[in-house]
Each structure stands twice: as structure tokens, then as C-alpha cells.
Amino acid sequence: MEYRYLDSGFRRKLEQFGSYTIIRPAPLAVWAPRLGEEAWGGAAGQFTRETSGEWIWHRKVKPSWTLPIETDAGPIKMRLAPTEFGHLGLFAEHLSVCNALQKMVAGKQAKVLNLFAYTGLATLFAAKGGAAVTHLDASKPVVTWARENAQNSGLGEAPIRWIVDDAMKFTSREIKRNNLYDLILLDPPTFGRGANKEVFKIEEHILELLENCIALLSEKPIAILFTCHTPGYTVQVIENLLGSVQFKHPCTIEVTELHQEGENTCPLPNGVFAKVVFNGK
């Protein structure tokens, strides 16, 4: 049993993660839900931000469990566990991005750089597609979690470099080393701290980071895939940002709203997805 987005409304969303259905906040879901109390009332638990943020469980749930995910190149397995921030180890809105990624790298022996890579969903999709991946996140526990997911997915010996570092510092060093990549993913936070407490603020650093990524592209690049969840960073904002930088290779740029879709329920906005595809790729 995999992931399903079931419903949303009254500023909440109802999702199925394997055997469990869970309610979490969705501030933009100001409409009324389409499913009834039977569906919502049967949830195993919910995360609420009414206080400082807490999980409320209505029935016993394992401390962690495995979620299988099918990809075009074979299945992967993600370990899920409730975190203090209301996350579970999977940003499901990225599944469509990962499917596009895997198609792009299939059969190309591509070098992929995955920045702010979290528990490795995109890394595993890329590795299943045959890419060599550099997986970077500033949190050592999160990178350990991602490595566990790779091992459980049969990718323990895959060409994946696991890096715990600050994205700004790492990309600057990679430029000096002339270590180039065919495809780069970035999913920057609004605010974050690097491995040595470096501060990342999207409004101050995203332009420089994007320019670093452009400098790290190979001579025959495939794409830059950029997701953003910062409130107020609309499609127009990201279009303006991408329009302000100079790409070294001819490309097409597509910026769309990132959202989740389910059967018989409202699409749920979850940020912006920008796809920079280099011509002929």
C-alpha cells in the first residue's frame, strides 16, 4: 500500500501513508472537504499547530514504518517516522518532480547534484534511473536516514556520494574543483542552518546559489529542477528570478504551481516547480 492524497479542507489535508491515514495542516485549503466524517474520523492521528506543534494519536502507530513507492525503473522504499515539525520523511508533492527527473536521466549515465536532499526521495529515483548522484543535506541524521532508505531500496552499492555540508559552501568549492553536473535539483528552505551553523535565508542567498548551480553545469547539461515552498514566492517571482540570471546554454524554462492531486478531491497547492531544460535534452 503506497501513498495517496485523499482529501483536503478546513485548512487540513488527509493523506494515506501505507497502512495509516493521517491529518496534517494545509493552510491554503480554505474550502470544505469532500469526504465525510467517516474518512476523516478514521485517521490514525493528526499533527496540529494550535500550540507549539504536536502529534495526537487516535490509535497505535509504529514509531516508524516502510512505504513502498513504484518508479518506472523499479521500486524504492522510504522509511517514515513522525518528526517534531509535522513531517514524516516524505514530501509527497515531489513525486511528480521525481518521475520527471527519472525520465530525464534514464540511459544517460548522468551526474546529478541533489541539494537540500532530505531523506533521499529524488536521490533514489535518480539512482534507480542509472545516474550517479551527489546527495547533500546539512543535517547528519537526515543524511543517515537517506542512506538507510537507499540500502532498503537495493541501492546500497549505487554510485551515491553522501555529503553533510552547507549548500552555499559546497557549491562554491565544487566550482573551484571544476566538478560539474548534468542535472541539478534544489529545494531550498525559507530558512536553514548549515552543517556548521551557517545561516541560509532564501531572500538573501537564492540568487547566488542559483548562479553557483549554473556554473556547475556540464558542457552538455540536461536540466535544473527547482522547487520552492516559501510563502509569497509565486510563479511570477520564480519566473523573475530565473529571468535575471544568465544561462550558459540555450534552454527552455517552465514554471508551474506545484500541487497534489487525488481522486474526487481538490488539487492542493504546495509551492512552485521550475524546470529549466537545456535544448536537445
Side-chain angles (χ1 to χ4, degrees):
M1 192 178 294
E2 298 187 6
Y3 171 85
R4 290 175 65 205
Y5 160 55
L6 300 173
D7 197 15
S8 58
F10 297 156
R11 300 181 302 282
R12 303 178 302 164
K13 59 182 175 179
L14 178 67
E15 302 166 285
Q16 180 176 329
F17 293 92
S19 301
Y20 305 120
T21 55
I22 292 175
I23 299 169
R24 296 189 295 162
L28 296 179
V30 295
W31 48 84
R34 295 188 179 179
L35 297 181
E37 180 57 32
E38 182 178 355
W40 286 82
Q46 67 184 83
F47 184 81
T48 176
R49 293 195 178 99
E50 291 182 1
T51 55
S52 59
E54 64 174 331
W55 287 97
I56 300 172
W57 300 105
H58 308 303
R59 61 186 178 93
K60 189 174 181 179
V61 172
K62 294 178 180 178
S64 68
W65 65 97
T66 298
L67 183 75
I69 297 174
E70 289 296 327
T71 87
D72 289 344
I76 61 173
K77 294 179 180 179
M78 300 289 291
R79 181 177 68 84
L80 303 187
T83 72
E84 61 182 315
F85 304 108
H87 303 152
L88 290 162
L90 171 72
F91 294 126
E93 63 271 18
H94 287 176
L95 285 168
S96 60
V97 177
C98 292
N99 284 323
L101 159 68
Q102 193 175 82
K103 288 179 172 65
M104 287 179 172
V105 302
K108 295 182 179 177
Q109 298 183 322
K111 283 184 63 180
V112 172
L113 173 60
N114 187 11
L115 300 173
F116 310 100
Y118 195 45
T119 58
L121 182 68
T123 293
L124 302 190
F125 267 77
K128 276 287 183 183
V133 186
T134 296
H135 173 110
L136 181 140
D137 199 278
S139 168
K140 185 175 181 179
V142 163
V143 173
T144 299
W145 191 344
R147 295 188 73 158
E148 178 185 338
N149 287 334
Q151 189 70 40
N152 292 340
S153 299
L155 294 167
E157 301 302 319
I160 303 172
R161 256 199 323 164
W162 305 101
I163 306 292
V164 179
D165 204 348
D166 172 72
M168 297 296 298
K169 288 187 175 180
F170 177 79
T171 52
S172 295
R173 288 196 298 270
E174 289 288 84
I175 291 170
K176 293 178 182 178
R177 291 188 284 248
N178 197 36
N179 196 5
L180 306 180
Y181 298 88
D182 304 306
L183 188 148
I184 300 176
L185 299 106
L186 62 157
D187 180 43
T190 300
F191 176 88
R193 291 193 180 275
N196 294 307
K197 307 302 181 183
E198 302 93 340
V199 172
F200 179 90
K201 295 182 179 179
I202 193 167
E203 69 274 16
E204 295 180 8
H205 299 117
I206 189 58
L207 181 58
E208 181 183 352
L209 179 60
L210 185 59
E211 289 173 338
N212 281 1
C213 289
I214 293 170
L216 284 173
L217 290 170
S218 67
E219 287 304 310
K220 295 182 179 179
I222 298 170
I224 292 176
L225 303 181
F226 172 22
T227 49
C228 182
H229 306 275
T230 299
Y233 278 51
T234 61
V235 167
Q236 187 64 67
V237 170
I238 302 303
E239 285 181 347
N240 292 350
L241 172 65
L242 293 171
S244 71
V245 297
Q246 185 67 46
F247 292 100
K248 298 184 293 183
H249 305 85
C251 61
T252 57
I253 300 174
E254 179 183 356
V255 186
T256 58
E257 189 173 68
L258 186 65
H259 59 268
Q260 293 172 257
E261 292 186 352
E263 295 181 9
N264 302 316
T265 191
C266 296
L268 180 62
N270 266 302
V272 176
F273 173 39
K275 183 165 57 174
V276 181
V277 179
F278 295 96
N279 292 355
K281 300 299 174 186

